Amino acid sequence: MKDALPMAPLHPHAHPEGGQACPDENLLTNQRDTIAEWLKGMGQRLFAGRVDLLSTPFPVKMFEPRSYLEKLADPWGVEPRLLKEAASTPDAARRMALVMAHFIAGIHVAFEKWQKPFNPILGETWQAKLEPEEITIAMEQISHHPPISAFYMEGQGACA
């Protein structure tokens, strides 16, 4: 089949039953301890009659030191050749397949740190240059509820 996309190798941390295994035991231990601490606090609030899950804070120890917008861009530098091919493909269906393959191919990168990013603030912006492809990306949080992030990519092979 001439138009088939090439198969990518499995991620080194692919779990045999599906998904991705976290190889960092220290991080898992820290997360388990933090969740236990959070549950203890929830129990105390429950017995005190102060349970509001929407305003219950999540322990900062669980977060990575970046915002959601930064983490959102992580997967986009994984397979830039697919974007370059999409930019030069006249067939719209193939171009869409290549763009989707680009985004799907990088999803595993978003979970490498195994930590939750900080929620973006409405109007927050972030921009970066993906090297060595020289693709510039600009992002903005345009809605809080529901959470919607807008992005624009520009450069050789970028599909904005």
Side-chain angles (χ1 to χ4, degrees), residues 89-103:
T89 301
D91 177 22
R94 174 115 176 112
R95 188 167 46 249
M96 177 59 88
L98 287 163
V99 170
M100 294 307 297
H102 168 261
F103 285 104

Side-chain angles (χ1 to χ4, degrees), residues 16-121:
E17 295 177 15
Q20 185 174 333
C22 180
D24 188 342
E25 281 301 321
N26 290 332
L27 176 62
L28 289 175
T29 299
N30 181 44
Q31 287 185 345
R32 283 186 197 108
D33 293 346
T34 304
I35 289 170
E37 178 184 319
W38 182 77
L39 288 172
K40 180 180 174 186
M42 282 297 297
Q44 290 170 343
R45 283 189 281 290
L46 175 66
F47 285 120
R50 298 181 285 123
V51 177
D52 180 6
L53 291 177
L54 294 177
S55 64
T56 300
F58 204 66
V60 174
K61 292 189 277 186
M62 293 291 291
F63 290 86
E64 67 172 277
R66 303 181 308 154
S67 80
Y68 173 77
L69 293 179
E70 288 179 78
K71 188 168 185 139
L72 188 60
D74 284 353
W76 296 352
V78 173
E79 286 293 336
R81 66 182 171 82
L82 296 174
L83 285 181
K84 289 178 181 179
E85 185 179 340
S88 63
T89 301
D91 177 22
R94 174 115 176 112
R95 188 167 46 249
M96 177 59 88
L98 287 163
V99 170
M100 294 307 297
H102 168 261
F103 285 104
I104 291 168
I107 287 176
H108 71 277
V109 176
F111 300 100
E112 285 182 349
K113 293 199 187 264
W114 289 90
Q115 293 175 297
K116 183 185 183 314
F118 284 103
N119 291 335
I121 299 167

